[in-house]
Amino acid sequence: MAVISGAEYIDRINQLKSEIWIDGKKVEGLISNHPAFRGIMKSKAELYDLQKDIKWKEFLVHKDNKLQKEYGMSFLIPETRNDLAKRRKATQLWARHSAGLMGRSPDYMNTALSSFAASVHLLKDQKNCFPENILKVYEYAAERDFSFTHTFVNPQKNRSSLAFLDEDSTNARVVKETKDGIIVKGAKLLATQGGITDELIVFSSPGPIDAAEAHAFSIPSNTEGLKFICRRSFAANGPAYDSPLSGRFEEMDSVIVFDNVLVPWDRVFFYNNKEAADKFFVNSYFAPFTLHQIVSRQVVKTEFVLGLAQLIVETINISEYQHVQSKVAEIIKGLECAKALLTQSELEAAADQQGVMVPERTPLYVAVNMFQEIYPRFIEIIQLLGASGMVTLPEQTQFQAEIGEKLEHYLQAFEVGGRERVGIFNLAFDLCMSAFGSRQTLYEQFFFGDPVRLSQIIYHSYPKSGHVSFAKQFLDRK
Ligand SMILES: Cc1cc2nc3c(=O)[nH]c(=O)nc-3n(C[C@H](O)[C@H](O)[C@H](O)COP(=O)(O)OP(=O)(O)OC[C@H]3O[C@@H](n4cnc5c(N)ncnc54)[C@H](O)[C@@H]3O)c2cc1C
């Protein structure tokens, strides 16, 4: 199988019949027909179809010459800089399909799983660790072109540094070991696209937690007792003209509840091992691999934001104003910095002893942490440029009604009629002001972790002593 089509993806997820709760009801029937999921599932299916398209296949599919098999490019464990470039191009090709708005295109978690598979040596001979299971899941998933969701963080009950003393924790924990596997009970914070992926990867992120909460595993989305509890849907189900983005790319976020879920032994990566949870997360290739995918996508998203900002400038003819130029230039600077940092991570990539080519992580950490700050500013810039245009938005039905002719005339812009102008601003509204757009901003600020703590990682890991010596030299100069 190895590389699937969109129809195969949809069919497989429909057949899972995972336990998904939304709007007070369990989803019954085909999930791909549900208004909250059909847009995103269709968009995801389009990505899979691109892999089958002869025009794009060479960019999206890699051939394993040893096994004589084809796999999705995001399962490629890079061995050369050229492999990194191939991964980047594949990510960006998919990202262009959603303007970078699908944070969880399948390549994101496939990359994470590949990073785990490339790092299994770190778990070898460690207590309660099963690195061979990571490799088996990786091979199984690549073979079937799976997509994954994941949940790493514990529920937001008590974030005090003393929270680990809480005796009434709601965190997912191993409550029993049986001959068949571990039994997990409790909750995890959230999983984007929960219920519309083949599997769920659970991984305890580092921190002061109880050993019973320190585990990692992968299970099918329809595992008994596993519940995906969704927030309200931000998917627009009206015409694409009115909501060009939220009808297609709303990914849904769900709380994960484990109701005494049996995780079979062959799916356990590690359990009851706090040290493994801490060290594997930090020392594995999770950060450099996934950040390389993330920044590749964010470059495309910034290109889209830049294009949209300039489209607004041209639509209402405001390019002569210096502050307008400066605002667009802010986006250009963000884009060029992200591109440069991505290139730098590939230029400074180094092969490890296993022959895995690992992108340099510092430029990528800097890029993602920078994006957490500048993306909200990009959104503000579009609002500042668009001004009232962001709300003078009659729906498609109004243009089709008797009043439509007047709207075409009175809502005209510099060189386009009312209908076209409103279409452009609908795009801006959906990116910046709809529930979907606001969630996009929150997503870029948090999905890879709290920006405050990410900048602490940069601070602590950056080699600074050479720079201190450099500065000190000037104290001694006569
Ligand atoms: C749209 C969206 C989608 C997401 N999708 C997923 C997903 O698919 N899978 C997944 O696993 N996770 C997902 N996440 C979760 C994401 O990983 C977390 O949001 C992120 O790690 C921050 O954790 P938190 O939300 O619990 O914030 P908290 O840790 O609760 O932080 C809340 C506030 O308290 C401050 N704070 C808390 N603790 C500290 C501390 N120790 N030091 C300093 N300041 C502190 C923070 O700076 C912040 O201002 C998603 C998040 C969002 C917003």
Side-chain angles (χ1 to χ4, degrees):
M1 191 189 293
V3 176
I4 58 166
S5 67
E8 285 171 287
Y9 157 70
I10 287 185
D11 189 43
R12 210 160 61 188
I13 301 302
N14 279 337
Q15 282 182 28
L16 282 177
K17 299 192 190 321
S18 307
E19 187 176 334
I20 304 164
W21 287 82
I22 184 164
D23 199 18
K25 294 186 274 287
K26 223 195 278 190
V27 173
E28 303 287 353
L30 300 181
I31 178 114
S32 64
N33 286 345
H34 192 286
F37 301 99
R38 68 176 161 231
I40 185 66
M41 286 187 73
K42 181 168 175 290
S43 297
K44 249 179 108 172
E46 287 162 5
L47 298 183
Y48 284 113
D49 281 339
L50 288 179
Q51 299 185 131
K52 296 274 189 185
D53 187 330
I54 196 74
K55 195 163 150 210
W56 305 117
K57 192 176 163 186
E58 65 168 303
F59 301 104
L60 294 171
V61 176
H62 90 92
K63 187 164 182 185
D64 187 312
N65 288 327
K66 272 182 252 154
L67 298 173
Q68 282 297 303
K69 280 188 182 160
E70 292 182 332
Y71 299 100
M73 192 64 84
S74 52
F75 288 105
L76 171 68
I77 295 180
E79 292 178 356
T80 61
R81 283 201 179 82
N82 192 35
D83 285 348
L84 287 177
K86 281 192 204 167
R87 289 185 59 94
R88 165 173 40 80
K89 283 180 195 157
T91 287
Q92 295 194 326
L93 208 155
W94 264 4
R96 287 194 85 79
H97 200 67
S98 66
L101 298 169
M102 200 193 293
R104 299 301 156 81
S105 49
D107 50 330
Y108 178 68
M109 279 312 293
N110 295 350
T111 298
L113 181 60
S114 307
S115 78
F116 294 160
S119 312
V120 283
H121 54 282
L122 297 172
L123 296 180
K124 198 160 173 272
D125 301 328
Q126 305 291 310
K127 186 181 150 224
N128 296 336
C129 293
F130 309 97
E132 65 281 9
N133 291 345
I134 297 183
L135 290 176
K136 271 190 258 164
V137 171
Y138 164 73
E139 280 159 23
Y140 186 81
E143 188 73 36
R144 287 159 183 76
D145 210 4
F146 267 5
S147 74
F148 290 83
T149 183
H150 72 291
T151 187
F152 287 3
V153 182
N154 285 320
Q156 199 183 36
K157 180 185 174 196
N158 176 1
R159 289 289 192 252
S160 143
S161 50
L162 297 177
F164 63 95
L165 297 174
D166 187 347
E167 285 178 1
D168 194 19
S169 165
T170 52
N171 300 347
R173 52 193 292 121
V174 175
V175 289
K176 204 170 161 191
E177 292 173 37
T178 72
K179 69 172 183 17
D180 297 318
I182 52 175
I183 309 285
V184 179
K185 186 170 167 50
K188 279 277 190 194
L189 183 72
L190 73 99
T192 298
Q193 282 201 17
I196 59 165
T197 63
D198 296 280
E199 296 221 355
L200 163 74
I201 293 181
V202 179
F203 199 107
S204 306
S205 50
I209 49 166
D210 196 282
E213 295 165 17
H215 45 246
F217 53 85
S218 182
I219 45 175
S221 293
N222 64 349
T223 301
E224 204 182 331
L226 177 61
K227 299 173 199 305
F228 298 96
I229 304 166
C230 302
R231 57 161 164 76
R232 80 187 67 159
S233 170
F234 302 153
N237 284 296
Y241 174 80
D242 293 339
S243 311
L245 304 173
S246 44
R248 294 177 196 163
F249 306 121
E250 144 70 338
E251 292 187 271
M252 183 52 77
D253 306 293
S254 53
V255 173
I256 306 295
V257 171
F258 300 87
D259 209 352
N260 291 309
V261 169
L262 169 69
V263 181
W265 285 118
D266 65 353
R267 288 316 197 97
V268 178
F269 299 163
F270 62 80
Y271 77 105
N272 240 323
N273 188 336
K274 229 189 91 42
E275 204 186 333
D278 285 346
K279 288 196 175 157
F280 193 67
F281 203 85
V282 176
N283 298 332
S284 76
Y285 298 142
F286 172 74
F289 275 35
T290 49
L291 283 170
H292 184 255
Q293 187 278 346
I294 290 165
V295 179
S296 300
R297 176 187 61 78
Q298 289 176 337
V299 163
V300 173
K301 190 167 187 172
T302 310
E303 287 170 345
F304 171 70
V305 170
L306 172 61
L308 182 57
Q310 182 61 18
L311 188 57
I312 289 173
V313 168
E314 290 171 14
T315 302
I316 55 173
N317 200 17
I318 52 174
S319 66
E320 70 198 79
Y321 304 115
Q322 281 180 353
H323 78 94
V324 168
Q325 296 161 9
S326 302
K327 287 183 172 104
V328 177
E330 272 188 63
I331 307 175
I332 295 172
K333 288 184 269 185
L335 173 60
E336 287 302 311
C337 286
K339 277 162 55 180
L341 289 163
L342 183 59
T343 306
Q344 192 66 9
S345 79
E346 290 179 20
L347 284 176
E348 292 181 3
D352 74 358
Q353 283 181 338
Q354 276 76 228
V356 177
M357 182 60 71
V358 188
E360 173 58 30
R361 60 181 87 198
T362 304
L364 296 170
Y365 265 122
V366 170
V368 82
N369 197 214
M370 187 182 77
F371 203 70
Q372 290 173 316
E373 287 166 17
I374 61 177
Y375 184 75
R377 172 65 181 156
F378 292 167
I379 295 307
E380 185 188 25
I381 286 173
I382 290 186
Q383 289 177 341
L384 292 171
L385 296 176
S388 63
M390 303 294 286
V391 288
T392 38
L393 303 172
E395 304 95 318
Q396 177 170 283
T397 45
Q398 306 242 51
F399 280 98
Q400 289 162 343
E402 213 180 308
I403 195 78
E405 209 180 307
K406 293 212 178 336
L407 293 176
E408 179 67 15
H409 178 67
Y410 288 117
L411 286 181
Q412 66 181 284
F414 177 50
E415 282 177 336
V416 297
R419 195 178 189 287
E420 193 173 337
R421 169 220 169 92
V422 169
I424 292 166
F425 277 96
N426 275 339
L427 189 60
F429 176 88
D430 220 3
L431 182 72
C432 305
M433 293 170 66
S434 66
F436 165 85
S438 305
R439 185 247 175 222
Q440 282 280 324
T441 304
L442 193 76
Y443 179 82
E444 296 299 355
Q445 286 172 302
F446 279 103
F447 81 93
F448 198 73
D450 173 20
V452 173
R453 280 166 278 171
L454 270 187
S455 63
Q456 283 177 329
I457 292 176
I458 295 172
Y459 175 78
H460 288 299
S461 62
Y462 200 82
K464 296 177 284 295
S465 58
H467 303 288
V468 173
S469 308
F470 178 41
K472 274 186 175 169
Q473 279 175 22
F474 287 80
L475 295 174
D476 303 334
R477 261 197 196 166
K478 297 276 177 309

